[in-house]
């Protein structure tokens, strides 16, 4: 068995992936420690969601529940949403504002401030000399578990690692450039959507990096002139391989929908006509002609600009076959009313039931279902070669970024997977 066909758990190259990685509970558990709680920065939200003192957002880092907050001094904090007393969930709301800055566990009323510090314990000294904690009880030793928090261009990230390099180094210059492209000026949140998929988080991570399927699975793209393989496009990866970005320039000249359809391998059945073609209108607002920007930041977020839709997609793994995708839609803070209405129309393209993106969840579930019982068998990820290149153009006929994902994944998980394989658990 050569390196290109060995199972991932035995240290393969990233072009042949053992299907066990989508189903093994042992691998999923190891991912939580080695990736999500390891040497990575995970997306927590947008600064625009925490505009005011007391604002908070409940989220996850891997399968660990986390709350991100803005304290009275304006600083942003994140802590594990697990009471230090009995492990109960402290914050039970998705988002909001805690005006008094206190987060109180409903079970025994232990109270924490926005930084996660324990600030109140009922009957700490007992009553009339009875009960209570011992005199040496120190609230500082019973605060909530905290994450390091850093922001870049209005995106907030957290890490459990005390040793990892700063966020900007983790992102690298290429990813910073493209994040700054989308977050070129202050943003405002327009809304949210939550999508649940009966599939492994890595299948969606591959999907967001897979340009090969774009105009094949999503027939809306070629039918209505948003994307086809012959358009000017490019892909770039970080040095580690696990971050990537796709950009596709808008079509040159007038769009001939018929010619777009001619380039597709399949056609939409029935009449392919929109009742409101304003949905497709693209109003360039950045100093380039890019109409599609899909950027995957390992391990947990996708930044997108499709036409005039702007969004982040946060990947939340709840189990080997349960993944949640949290869509946060936004516009620019200085958008006028008409621009905001246009963005809201454009949002019909994306999200769980979007005209473009609704097929992705189905593809994830099909792969999850199809690989049940297929441990030891492998995928074949060699469209466009078997190497990983940091820059490639055009895109759409390769799987370079998918191989980049697995290159980065193995860099973090290789030793753990080898240990599990030696123990017969992967």
């Amino acid at each position: 068995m050569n390196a290109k066909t060995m199972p991932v758990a035995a240290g393969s190259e990233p072009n042949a992936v053992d299907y066990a990685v989508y189903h093994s509970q042992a691998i999923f558990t190891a991912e939580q420690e080695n990736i999500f709680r390891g040497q990575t920065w995970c997306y927590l939200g947008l600064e625009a969601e925490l505009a005011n003192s007391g604002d908070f957002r409940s989220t996850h880092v891997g399968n660990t529940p986390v709350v991100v907050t803005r304290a009275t001094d304006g600083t942003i904090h994140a802590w594990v949403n697990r009471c230090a007393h009995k492990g109960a969930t402290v914050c039970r709301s998705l988002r909001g504002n805690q005006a008094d800055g206190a987060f109180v566990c409903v079970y025994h009323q232990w109270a924490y401030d926005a930084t996660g510090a324990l600030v109140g314990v009922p009957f700490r000294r007992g009553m009339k000399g009875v009960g209570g904690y011992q005199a040496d009880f120190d609230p500082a030793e019973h605060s909530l578990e905290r994450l390091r928090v850093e922001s870049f261009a209005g995106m907030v990230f957290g890490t459990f690692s005390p040793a990892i390099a700063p966020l900007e180094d983790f992102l690298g210059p290429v990813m910073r450039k493209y994040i700054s492209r989308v977050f070129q000026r202050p943003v405002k949140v327009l809304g949210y959507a939550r999508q649940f998929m009966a599939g492994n988080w890595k299948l969606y991570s591959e999907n967001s990096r897979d340009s090969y399927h774009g105009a094949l699975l999503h027939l809306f793209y070629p039918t209505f002139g948003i994307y086809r393989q012959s358009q000017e496009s490019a892909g770039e990866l970080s040095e580690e391989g696990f971050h990537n970005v796709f950009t596709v320039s808008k079509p040159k000249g007038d769009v001939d929908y018929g010619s777009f359809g001619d380039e597709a391998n399949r056609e939409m059945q029935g009449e392919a006509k929109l009742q409101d073609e304003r949905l497709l209108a693209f109003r360039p607002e950045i100093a380039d002609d890019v109409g599609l920007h899909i950027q995957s930041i390992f391990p947990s977020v996708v930044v997108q600009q499709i036409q005039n839709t702007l969004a982040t997609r946060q990947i939340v793994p709840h189990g080997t076959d349960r993944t949640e995708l949290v869509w946060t839609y936004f516009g620019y803070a200085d958008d006028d009313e008409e621009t905001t209405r246009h963005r809201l129309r454009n949002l019909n393209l994306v999200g769980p039931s979007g005209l473009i993106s609704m097929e992705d969840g189905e593809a994830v579930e099909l792969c999850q279902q199809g690989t049940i019982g297929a441990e030891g068998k492998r995928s074949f990820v060699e469209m466009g070669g078997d190497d990983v290149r940091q820059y490639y153009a055009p895109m759409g006929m390769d799987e370079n970024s998918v191989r980049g994902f697995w290159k980065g994944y193995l860099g973090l998980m290789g030793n753990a997977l080898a240990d599990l394989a030696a123990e017969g658990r992967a």
Side-chain angles (χ1 to χ4, degrees):
M1 182 179 292
N2 61 43
K4 289 177 20 177
T5 59
M6 291 170 64
V8 164
S12 74
E13 293 298 314
N15 55 314
V17 180
D18 191 313
Y19 294 133
V21 299
Y22 307 124
H23 299 276
S24 166
Q25 181 60 48
I27 291 175
F28 181 82
T29 300
E31 289 168 348
Q32 303 309 308
E33 291 304 313
N34 291 275
I35 295 178
F36 295 101
R37 297 179 66 93
Q39 298 299 303
T40 64
W41 286 92
C42 291
Y43 174 73
L44 300 177
L46 300 177
E47 288 183 351
E49 299 176 89
L50 307 165
N52 303 306
S53 173
D55 284 350
F56 68 88
R57 179 184 191 268
S58 296
T59 184
H60 286 78
V61 170
N63 64 355
T64 302
V66 168
V67 176
V68 56
T69 68
R70 189 178 290 275
T72 54
D73 64 358
T75 55
I76 296 176
H77 301 266
W79 32 266
V80 175
N81 194 9
R82 182 185 302 124
C83 185
H85 178 216
K86 299 285 286 184
T89 297
V90 176
C91 179
R92 297 180 294 157
S93 299
L94 286 175
R95 63 188 68 86
N97 181 277
Q98 204 69 16
D100 61 2
F103 294 84
V104 181
C105 177
V106 69
Y107 196 0
H108 296 93
Q109 304 294 295
W110 281 35
Y112 305 88
D113 68 13
T115 73
L118 180 63
V119 294
V121 176
F123 304 118
R124 174 182 168 187
R125 301 301 186 196
M127 180 178 289
K128 297 181 179 179
V130 178
Y133 289 99
Q134 296 186 26
D136 63 355
F137 176 87
D138 183 0
E141 296 179 358
H142 300 275
S143 295
L144 300 174
E145 184 179 2
R146 297 180 174 102
L147 288 73
R148 287 172 59 194
V149 175
E150 292 184 16
S151 297
F152 179 77
M155 297 182 71
V156 182
F157 292 79
T159 182
F160 286 97
S161 172
I164 191 173
L167 173 62
E168 291 197 11
D169 293 343
F170 177 74
L171 295 173
V174 173
M175 294 303 115
R176 294 199 307 267
K177 178 181 73 172
Y178 283 101
I179 291 174
S180 296
R181 177 189 175 275
V182 172
F183 291 91
Q184 59 174 297
R185 57 189 195 269
V187 303
K188 61 182 178 184
V189 174
L190 300 180
Y192 300 90
R194 306 178 81 86
Q195 178 176 359
F196 291 87
M197 295 173 283
N200 191 276
W201 71 275
K202 296 183 293 298
L203 287 168
Y204 187 80
S205 295
E206 289 180 280
N207 174 274
S208 72
R209 293 165 169 82
D210 175 15
S211 67
Y212 183 22
H213 82 277
L216 301 173
L217 177 66
H218 304 302
L219 292 185
F220 194 91
Y221 271 144
T223 302
F224 291 103
I226 295 175
Y227 166 61
R228 57 180 174 176
Q229 276 90 340
S230 63
Q231 280 174 248
E232 184 178 322
S233 63
E236 294 187 61
L237 277 66
S238 64
E239 183 177 351
E240 304 85 355
F242 50 37
H243 307 316
N244 91 289
V245 61
F246 299 135
T247 57
V248 180
S249 296
K250 68 179 183 179
K252 305 298 184 184
D254 295 332
V255 175
D256 178 355
Y257 292 156
S259 71
F260 269 71
D262 290 342
E263 289 190 22
N265 284 28
R266 297 185 296 125
E267 295 181 355
M268 283 187 170
Q269 299 301 307
E271 184 181 9
K273 182 176 175 59
L274 292 173
Q275 296 302 310
D276 186 352
E277 292 189 356
R278 292 180 302 169
L279 177 69
L280 295 175
F282 174 43
R283 305 174 181 178
E285 54 188 331
I286 301 174
D288 54 37
D289 287 330
V290 171
L292 185 147
H293 168 145
I294 305 292
Q295 183 173 9
S296 300
I297 303 297
F298 188 90
S300 60
V301 69
V302 178
V303 178
Q304 73 157 58
Q305 172 234 330
I306 300 177
Q307 305 290 78
N308 295 107
T309 70
L310 303 172
T312 61
R313 315 173 195 169
Q314 183 183 12
I315 303 168
V316 182
H318 291 297
T320 58
D321 59 356
R322 290 177 292 123
T323 300
E324 180 182 9
L325 199 60
V326 181
W327 299 73
T328 301
Y329 306 114
F330 59 91
Y332 295 116
D334 59 0
D335 284 348
D336 59 25
E337 183 178 350
E338 169 54 29
T339 300
T340 297
R341 284 201 299 268
H342 174 63
R343 290 196 201 284
L344 293 174
R345 276 194 301 270
N346 255 187
L347 289 182
N348 287 288
L349 298 172
V350 298
S353 59
L355 293 169
I356 290 172
S357 55
M358 59 181 164
E359 297 95 348
D360 289 324
E362 181 75 4
V364 166
E365 295 189 358
L366 289 172
C367 290
Q368 188 74 24
Q369 294 162 9
T371 55
I372 292 172
E375 292 83 353
K377 299 183 185 299
R378 290 165 292 280
S379 61
F380 181 69
V381 191
E382 295 193 13
M383 172 60 73
D386 61 5
D387 59 345
V388 177
R389 304 181 303 281
Q390 286 188 255
Y391 178 85
Y392 55 101
M395 49 169 253
M397 292 162 285
D398 68 89
E399 295 170 299
N400 184 64
S401 293
V402 178
R403 293 190 294 272
F405 169 82
W406 288 111
K407 173 188 173 183
Y409 175 92
L410 290 170
L412 294 171
M413 283 287 293
N415 290 338
L417 290 170
D419 290 344
L420 291 173
E423 297 169 8
R425 298 170 60 203

